[in-house]
Amino acid sequence: MPDLNDEAIRAPQNSDKKVHPKKVRPVSESLVKYRALRAQAEAGGPPEKIEAQKKRGKLTARERIAYLLDEGSFQEIGLLMESRCTDFGIKDKHIKGDGVVTGFGKVNGRPIAVFSEDFTQLGGSLGRTHADKIARIMDMARDAGVPVVGILDSGGARIQEGVDSLDGYGEIFLRNTLSSGKIPQISVIVGPCAGGAVYSPALTDFVFMVKGISHMFVTGPEVVKAATGEEVDFETLGGAQTHSSKSGVCHFMANSEPDCFRQVKELLDFLPSNSSEPAPAIETKDSHDRKVPLLEKLCEMDPRKPYRVHHIIWWLADDHKFMEVHHGYARNIVIGFMRLGGRVTGVIANNPSHMAGALDINASDKAARFIRFLNCFNIPILTLVDVPGYWPGVAQEHGGIIRHGAKLLYAYSEASVPKVSLVLRKAYGGAYIAMNSKLMGGDFNFSLPSAEIAVMGPRGAIEILYSKQIKEAKDEERDALKAKLAKEYSDKFASPYQTASTGSIDEVIEPASARATLIDAFELLRGKKRRDSGGPGNIPL
Ligand code: HXC
């Protein structure tokens, strides 16, 4: 570690210029002291801890900030703050910065606030000063209207500081909540995140994790074993894969830390700095009326054949760019960001390649939360509908599909940003209503000619409507009767025309022109007056 006598700190730092020895001016002792202090504080933990960090394939706290921010843009705040705790011999371990690097910088030219926990210093544990630094940055970010990116790598509450460190989490949770919906908050987990500490990321908008490096859990494997007898390793209990696919805690999974920070930057490019600003638009060379031949093919396809809705999204999006959120979780619904005519648009799309695109508990939660994010941050919503209904089963009913499904209805109804939908194929029953239907507040509701919009699918419908005739039919005639009845039903209801005749579909559109139609619709809605919610409602949770 450098000290006051270190020659290296006597020359101005970050200077590549070779200065002739005769021209070196004596440096004042205050400057020498200042540079020594900085160098000492910036060095991080002891070399062996840094080496251990590297051996695990992890970056240091400052390297992470360097990956995230535009070069030379970081302005640190609170470098010299340190803990005031003296218990359990921790006085000898006092460190400048208290195990977290905090400050401001720019990502692709736009300002953000950042904090980065340093596992090489007291295991990145959160003492009161550490928490105060994070809270201060969060307050400044909210006042300035800029996003906060938190980089977490910590053993949790600093045990030596007792309740003072628990209170530190309290002040962070409060700020996470006060900033919610006002500025985007992103959590990047690049190490352990255990106990109550997991709740700060859970209160933020997006959580990133890295395979093999990030672990999140309320109680670790040992406590789990003692309490329940279950044997589980860190990765299975709370690794990136688990939280991306099973719990839904993690929105973006990366293969490495550099890959993770690249993804964070990509996401930030879609987000406004705060809730009073529009999301950043960009010029696109992708033509407004580029044809989408895939939608013509979809009209010709067997309506029971599965397909990945991603293909449709890629075809519609500017430059075929789509950033999917929550890729591995509740894959029956797809959510994410794209641009249409240069403007950021949030997409919610049923995905027939998984569970036939039906809505279930997890899909409802996933979409509802995303819709609420989009509504908070002025991002228009495109809904692509191909939904056969709700996923049936005892597990769904007992798991609370009524309660969870209601979140989706609430989120769509509450959202006052421009909302445009396109029915691709099926839109049946309650799920038709839930997916941004006209009378629930859709601004423009379009449909392809091949869409089937009805209370239920033909097969189910005729079994109820004609149960007596079907039962009474001779065995050898039953199938033919069913086919005839199903066709009659389809001709009457399983098309978009009955719905278009009542005005619940605004227009049945030419499939290949869908991109132009959608861009024009959003363009028209740009001046849409946002509804005043008149205070918070009570979303079913
Ligand atoms: C103080 C801590 C610490 C903590 C780690 N360290 N966690 N110091 N408070 N919470 C220190 C270690 O003593 C060690 O110091 C250094 O950090 C590195 O830790 P290691 O154990 O050597 O590292 P590793 O083997 O990688 O294990 C990492 C770990 C483990 C899995 C995170 O340290 C661990 O289990 N820590 C405790 C986790 C925990 O239970 N935290 C409290 C959760 S409850 P030296 O000096 O030896 O290098 C909580 C409540 C929050 O956070 C409530 C909010 C409402």
Side-chain angles (χ1 to χ4, degrees), residues 400-441:
I401 181 62
I402 298 173
R403 193 162 46 82
H404 292 273
K407 295 180 198 180
L408 187 58
L409 304 182
Y410 192 102
Y412 264 127
S413 304
E414 175 191 47
S416 61
V417 288
K419 293 180 287 188
V420 175
S421 69
L422 174 61
V423 182
L424 298 172
R425 222 166 48 165
K426 301 184 192 82
Y428 287 142
Y432 149 76
I433 309 171
M435 294 301 292
N436 190 41
S437 59
K438 186 82 192 164
L439 295 181
M440 235 179 53

Side-chain angles (χ1 to χ4, degrees), residues 200-527:
S200 172
L203 287 166
T204 63
D205 300 304
F206 298 105
V207 174
F208 288 74
M209 294 180 80
V210 181
K211 276 187 205 161
I213 282 179
S214 321
H215 297 118
M216 294 178 82
F217 40 76
V218 175
T219 53
E222 280 176 26
V223 177
V224 169
K225 189 172 176 199
T228 70
E230 294 163 298
E231 290 200 26
V232 64
D233 59 42
F234 279 93
E235 200 63 25
T236 314
L237 183 65
Q241 190 79 46
T242 298
H243 285 307
S244 301
S245 60
K246 288 190 161 71
S247 71
V249 168
C250 169
H251 300 84
F252 298 95
M253 181 170 67
N255 291 320
S256 66
E257 291 203 37
D259 176 38
C260 180
F261 290 108
R262 183 195 56 72
Q263 290 189 42
V264 175
K265 289 163 82 151
E266 195 183 332
L267 175 64
L268 282 166
D269 283 348
F270 281 107
L271 308 184
S273 296
N274 58 64
S275 58
S276 305
E277 289 182 16
I282 55 169
E283 289 279 315
T284 176
K285 291 207 171 69
D286 198 352
S287 139
H288 150 274
D289 39 15
R290 174 168 54 72
K291 296 290 176 219
V292 186
L294 192 65
L295 286 179
E296 277 186 0
K297 278 197 191 148
L298 185 68
C299 291
E300 289 153 15
M301 220 165 92
D302 174 352
R304 281 167 303 174
K305 200 169 167 194
Y307 65 92
R308 291 185 74 215
V309 78
H310 300 79
H311 297 298
I312 312 271
I313 300 171
W314 287 325
W315 268 98
L316 291 171
D318 284 3
D319 308 302
H320 304 288
K321 279 195 188 134
F322 172 55
M323 185 169 200
E324 187 172 357
V325 178
H326 251 154
H327 167 76
Y329 180 69
R331 283 160 45 224
N332 38 334
I333 204 153
V334 170
I335 60 172
F337 297 99
M338 66 171 180
R339 282 188 167 80
L340 274 177
R343 301 197 174 272
V344 176
T345 308
V347 188
I348 321 283
N350 308 114
N351 181 24
S353 76
H354 198 76
M355 294 165 62
L359 291 174
D360 68 345
I361 290 171
N362 292 347
S364 302
D365 280 3
K366 170 175 162 176
R369 172 104 176 125
F370 190 56
I371 291 164
R372 293 196 105 207
F373 176 84
L374 299 173
N375 190 45
C376 289
F377 290 101
N378 314 309
I379 300 176
I381 301 171
L382 170 65
T383 305
L384 299 175
V385 186
D386 191 345
V387 62
Y390 285 91
W391 192 254
V394 175
Q396 286 290 310
E397 297 295 343
H398 289 187
I401 181 62
I402 298 173
R403 193 162 46 82
H404 292 273
K407 295 180 198 180
L408 187 58
L409 304 182
Y410 192 102
Y412 264 127
S413 304
E414 175 191 47
S416 61
V417 288
K419 293 180 287 188
V420 175
S421 69
L422 174 61
V423 182
L424 298 172
R425 222 166 48 165
K426 301 184 192 82
Y428 287 142
Y432 149 76
I433 309 171
M435 294 301 292
N436 190 41
S437 59
K438 186 82 192 164
L439 295 181
M440 235 179 53
D443 292 304
F444 275 108
N445 291 65
F446 298 117
S447 162
L448 296 187
S450 57
E452 299 172 7
I453 307 172
V455 176
M456 60 171 64
R459 284 151 198 272
I462 59 158
E463 295 285 355
I464 297 167
L465 288 177
Y466 306 106
S467 65
K468 200 158 169 250
Q469 285 108 305
I470 292 171
K471 227 184 263 166
E472 286 168 358
K474 291 182 187 152
D475 284 352
E476 62 276 18
E477 287 170 6
R478 191 168 291 120
D479 284 350
L481 175 69
K482 279 191 189 178
K484 181 176 151 283
L485 293 171
K487 178 156 185 339
E488 273 171 24
Y489 179 91
S490 289
D491 291 346
K492 172 87 179 139
F493 292 117
S495 78
Y497 301 116
Q498 204 224 4
T499 321
S501 75
T502 64
S504 292
I505 286 292
D506 290 301
E507 200 61 31
V508 180
I509 64 166
E510 192 57 56
S513 307
R515 176 174 151 82
T517 306
L518 296 175
I519 292 175
D520 290 346
F522 280 118
E523 181 65 29
L524 198 87
L525 292 166
R526 255 172 73 198

Side-chain angles (χ1 to χ4, degrees), residues 126-145:
L126 184 136
R128 190 56 188 266
T129 303
H130 181 122
D132 288 348
K133 284 181 69 177
I134 294 174
R136 181 172 299 180
I137 277 293
M138 292 174 80
D139 285 342
M140 290 170 80
R142 199 167 71 245
D143 288 346

Side-chain angles (χ1 to χ4, degrees), residues 15-21:
S15 168
D16 296 333
K17 279 189 191 158
K18 287 209 165 74
V19 182
H20 193 279

Side-chain angles (χ1 to χ4, degrees), residues 25-46:
R25 275 186 284 123
V27 179
S28 74
E29 275 312 303
S30 67
L31 209 49
V32 170
K33 183 176 178 190
Y34 162 73
R35 288 180 187 149
L37 271 174
R38 279 204 81 91
Q40 226 170 53
E42 284 173 357

Side-chain angles (χ1 to χ4, degrees), residues 72-131:
S73 71
F74 184 50
Q75 170 60 60
E76 186 158 0
I77 287 175
L79 171 72
L80 303 180
M81 286 173 74
E82 53 184 271
S83 172
R84 279 157 285 185
C85 171
T86 51
D87 295 328
F88 296 101
I90 200 174
K91 193 169 187 308
D92 312 326
K93 289 187 174 177
H94 279 186
I95 38 169
K96 299 271 182 255
D98 206 36
V100 62
V101 184
T102 53
F104 288 84
K106 288 188 174 166
V107 173
N108 295 331
R110 298 169 64 220
I112 67 156
V114 61
F115 66 87
S116 180
E117 294 184 315
D118 186 350
F119 192 79
T120 68
Q121 297 185 320
L122 295 172
S125 57
L126 184 136
R128 190 56 188 266
T129 303
H130 181 122

